[in-house]
Amino acid sequence: MIRGMYTAAAGALAAQSNVDVIANNLANVNTGGFKRMLMQLESTETLPIYRVQTDPGSTPGTTVPGKSAVDYVGNLGFGSRVYDTPADFQQGPLQRTDNPLDVGLYGPGFFTIQTQSGVRYTRDGNFLVNAQGLLTTQDGALVLGQRGAIPVPQGNVTITQDGAVNVNGRVIDTLQVTQFNDTRFLRPEGDNQFVDEGAGPQNSTTTSINQGTLERSNANVVRSMVDLIVAQQWFQANEKVIQTEDQATNSAVTELGRTSSH
């Protein structure tokens, strides 16, 4: 009974983690370029269970002559746990803004940016020009081109589909758009940014760069609300199991105490 209580508690913790993931997705449905998070579960380690064969008339633990000492019964699991919370890199819809410094990506690429923590990657193309005349993200990270930080002097800014940044018809630089061999190793780091942990970065040649648009979040409100209801029901089911196991344990202790008194 105690084992069942711990198994149900593990399930409740996993359900609570799923609620947290879904709530984060819901909070970012209007965040440009946001990639919704998923939750992956795995079974906890299992233990083999054996039945020891004993002679009914012998001392417990001694084996029956001519029989196997133990019989394999099966494996005993202890519930589930969170394995990973990866991002879903499915393309989000592009929304037209007509702002010349808004840039939406269509394809597998990411903007390359320079933060205080190092080089990071983002799909959020809501850019601006800072006081030093450099192209940056909304939180101040430098947007990188093939030559480094991109200076944007005053004038008419146009950005072509291959990423060339032009001011008054003069090419300033080309946006450094990066794609990855294995996005499982591209990990979310907060602030709508990703860090490369062995994903295999390379220049993207298959990503379309669209000036005057922004990629919207790929988190869907309706789907997230349904997932949230399911996760809450999952938590409540495990909570009910814990209560049932607790009641059964209490009854066993009470009845055992009453029997022993007689």
Side-chain angles (χ1 to χ4, degrees):
M1 287 182 287
I2 298 297
R3 184 179 297 118
M5 189 178 297
Y6 280 111
T7 301
L13 288 173
Q16 181 61 54
S17 296
N18 198 28
V19 169
D20 294 339
V21 169
I22 298 168
N24 181 61
N25 291 338
L26 279 170
N28 286 280
V29 292
N30 292 319
T31 301
F34 177 79
K35 298 304 177 185
R36 74 186 185 102
M37 307 303 294
L38 305 173
M39 191 179 75
Q40 297 174 338
L41 296 175
E42 66 175 354
S43 298
T44 58
E45 292 82 0
T46 59
L47 296 176
I49 304 300
Y50 299 91
R51 180 174 61 248
V52 179
Q53 298 287 350
T54 61
D55 184 342
S58 66
T59 303
T62 59
T63 61
V64 178
K67 290 188 176 182
S68 173
V70 292
D71 287 334
Y72 174 70
V73 177
N75 289 327
L76 177 65
F78 294 91
S80 60
R81 63 188 175 195
V82 177
Y83 171 71
D84 196 8
T85 53
D88 174 11
F89 292 105
Q90 182 179 2
Q91 175 73 44
L94 295 181
Q95 180 179 28
R96 177 156 294 282
T97 66
D98 292 325
N99 183 337
L101 294 182
D102 286 344
V103 186
L105 297 178
Y106 192 88
F110 292 77
F111 297 111
T112 308
I113 59 176
Q114 180 69 51
T115 72
Q116 293 182 348
S117 300
V119 174
R120 297 293 184 266
Y121 304 92
T122 185
R123 294 278 298 193
D124 186 1
N126 184 205
F127 300 145
L128 53 82
V129 178
N130 67 9
Q132 289 73 43
L134 300 175
L135 192 65
T136 72
T137 62
Q138 289 292 321
D139 58 2
L142 295 173
V143 179
L144 297 182
Q146 299 299 326
R147 305 170 189 167
I150 304 174
V152 182
Q154 291 186 350
N156 181 33
V157 179
T158 59
I159 301 175
T160 64
Q161 284 199 333
D162 60 2
V165 180
N166 300 270
V167 179
N168 294 329
R170 182 170 64 91
V171 177
I172 302 299
D173 202 345
T174 301
L175 291 170
Q176 185 176 335
V177 179
T178 305
Q179 67 183 61
F180 299 88
N181 294 327
D182 193 343
T183 53
R184 292 178 303 169
F185 299 101
L186 188 64
R187 308 301 301 178
E189 196 181 53
D191 297 326
N192 213 8
Q193 298 172 6
F194 295 86
V195 59
D196 175 23
E197 295 184 354
Q202 58 184 346
N203 287 330
S204 180
T205 58
T206 57
T207 300
S208 173
I209 300 169
N210 301 274
Q211 185 183 23
T213 67
L214 286 177
E215 182 186 11
R216 297 176 57 189
S217 168
N218 67 356
N220 182 279
V221 175
V222 175
R223 178 174 179 176
S224 295
M225 289 301 297
V226 172
D227 290 344
L228 187 60
I229 292 171
V230 172
Q232 289 174 331
Q233 292 175 338
W234 173 18
F235 180 88
Q236 291 168 355
N238 281 283
E239 184 180 38
K240 183 63 177 177
V241 171
I242 294 172
Q243 293 172 350
T244 302
E245 292 282 357
D246 182 56
Q247 293 169 359
T249 302
N250 182 63
S251 297
V253 172
T254 303
E255 293 299 323
L256 179 62
R258 184 178 298 115
T259 302
S260 300
S261 65
H262 292 293

